[in-house]
């Protein structure tokens, strides 16, 4: 039973990751290779703030979101000077830089040894311990995040993103400041990714750089592209296929 709840927890983590990436890739048409970096920054910020700074889970999460958003604003202001392949390469470079920092800044991140013993969150005096508890918390997290993302999709902001995706020159001719809109989407996408990052750290109680590599960014892009980018059902379909199909195939007995 715990195995099934673990799968639900992982689905709960990847849903907001896919839907937040959908804001930039699906609606904005920006192929980013650094979504796992923001996921990792959220996880490490939460873990360090709750372990070293002694903050409670709620405050650590809030500060982690702000830290991730500020870093995204910085890298976005640079990367969004470019489009197409150049934008992809800049975000790929940022992803690699984040991994190198997490791996080599031993005094802060513990390097390849990772951060162990992350305290489990406590809600109203109740400490979450089992996959069932985290599955319920993941449900609450998604109930809070996904409606906000859906509102962004349906809002004039989402329509503006789609207009820029289709024809940026024509949209800017109508008075839309493309780079500023893209920067907002990039920062919002990163801030939303920080939340499942903190959730992941609280769930496994141990994080290390290998969870936030370029391969993880590619996996998240694959989830979105497989399900269908630029709509509300695509991320859900992609997450179900990419997370559940490998688990189902475990029982088929196919040779390597």
């Amino acid at each position: 039973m715990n195995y099934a709840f673990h799968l639900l927890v992982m689905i709960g983590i990847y849903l907001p990751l896919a839907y937040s990436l959908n804001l930039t890739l699906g609606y904005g048409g920006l192929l980013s290779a650094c979504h796992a970096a923001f996921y990792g920054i959220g996880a490490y910020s939460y873990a360090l703030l709750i372990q070293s700074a002694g903050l409670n889970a709620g405050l650590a999460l809030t500060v982690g979101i702000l830290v991730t958003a500020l870093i995204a604003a910085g890298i976005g202001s640079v990367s969004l000077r470019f489009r197409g392949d150049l934008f992809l390469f800049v975000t790929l470079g940022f992803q690699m830089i984040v991994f190198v920092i997490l791996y080599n800044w031993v005094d802060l991140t513990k390097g390849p040894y990772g951060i162990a013993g992350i305290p489990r969150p406590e809600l109203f005096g109740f400490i979450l311990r089992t996959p069932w508890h985290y599955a319920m918390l993941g449900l609450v997290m998604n109930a809070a995040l996904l409606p906000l993302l859906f509102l962004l999709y349906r809002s004039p902001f989402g329509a503006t993103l789609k207009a820029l995706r289709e024809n940026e020159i024509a949209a800017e001719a109508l008075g839309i400041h493309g780079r500023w809109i893209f920067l907002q989407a990039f920062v919002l996408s990163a801030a939303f990714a920080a939340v499942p990052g903190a959730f992941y750290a609280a769930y496994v109680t141990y994080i290390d750089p290998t969870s936030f590599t370029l391969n993880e960014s590619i996996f998240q892009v694959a989830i979105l592209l497989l399900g269908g980018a630029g709509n509300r059902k695509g991320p859900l379909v992609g997450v179900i296929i990419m997370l559940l199909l490998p688990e189902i195939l475990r029982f088929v007995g196919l040779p390597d």
Side-chain angles (χ1 to χ4, degrees):
M1 200 63 178
N2 280 340
Y3 172 72
F5 287 130
H6 170 72
L7 289 179
L8 288 176
V9 170
M10 299 310 297
I11 289 173
I13 289 172
Y14 277 96
L15 276 177
L17 284 172
Y19 275 105
S20 59
L21 182 60
N22 195 32
L23 190 63
T24 50
L25 175 55
Y27 282 77
L30 298 172
L31 181 54
S32 170
C34 65
H35 207 55
F38 298 128
Y39 174 46
I41 291 170
Y44 269 87
S45 297
Y46 174 85
L48 290 170
L49 288 167
I50 204 170
Q51 250 196 0
S52 303
L55 301 184
N56 61 48
L59 189 55
L61 173 61
T62 303
V63 176
I65 293 171
L66 292 175
V67 168
T68 307
L70 287 173
I71 293 173
I75 186 62
S77 63
V78 174
S79 61
L80 288 168
R81 297 175 183 270
F82 310 100
R83 293 292 184 272
D85 292 343
L86 289 177
F87 174 81
L88 174 63
F89 290 142
V90 174
T91 59
L92 188 152
F94 175 68
Q95 171 67 55
M96 300 303 293
I97 289 170
V98 169
F99 176 78
V100 169
I101 290 173
L102 295 180
Y103 195 86
N104 290 289
W105 195 353
V106 178
D107 291 339
L108 180 67
T109 67
K110 313 302 181 187
Y113 306 106
I115 301 175
I118 301 169
R120 295 189 181 277
E122 182 177 338
L123 299 176
F124 308 109
F126 179 78
I127 299 177
L128 279 67
R129 299 184 185 278
T130 67
W132 158 252
H133 297 155
Y134 283 96
M136 294 301 99
L137 182 60
L139 182 63
V140 172
M141 177 180 69
N142 280 275
L145 295 182
L146 298 191
L148 291 176
L149 284 164
F150 293 160
L151 283 175
L152 285 172
Y153 294 166
R154 295 195 301 266
S155 69
F157 177 75
T160 302
L161 272 175
K162 288 196 288 187
L164 288 167
R165 178 192 66 193
E166 297 302 324
N167 194 320
E168 186 174 350
I169 295 175
E172 290 188 337
L174 295 174
I176 296 173
H177 195 321
R179 189 173 160 193
W180 172 240
I181 296 296
F182 280 139
L183 180 59
Q184 292 180 65
F186 194 73
V187 171
L188 285 170
S189 177
F192 277 105
V195 181
F199 183 89
Y200 175 78
Y203 174 56
V204 299
T205 69
Y206 170 80
I207 53 174
D208 69 88
T210 59
S211 297
F212 313 107
T213 62
L214 176 61
N215 285 342
E216 177 64 23
S217 279
I218 294 172
F219 180 71
Q220 293 175 21
V221 171
I223 285 175
L224 187 58
L225 295 181
L226 180 63
N231 61 73
R232 287 186 291 172
K233 295 180 181 178
L236 174 61
V237 173
V239 166
I240 290 174
I241 292 175
M242 293 293 283
L243 266 66
L244 292 187
L245 185 59
E247 300 302 322
I248 293 172
L249 292 178
R250 289 177 189 271
F251 302 101
V252 175
L254 292 176
D256 293 340

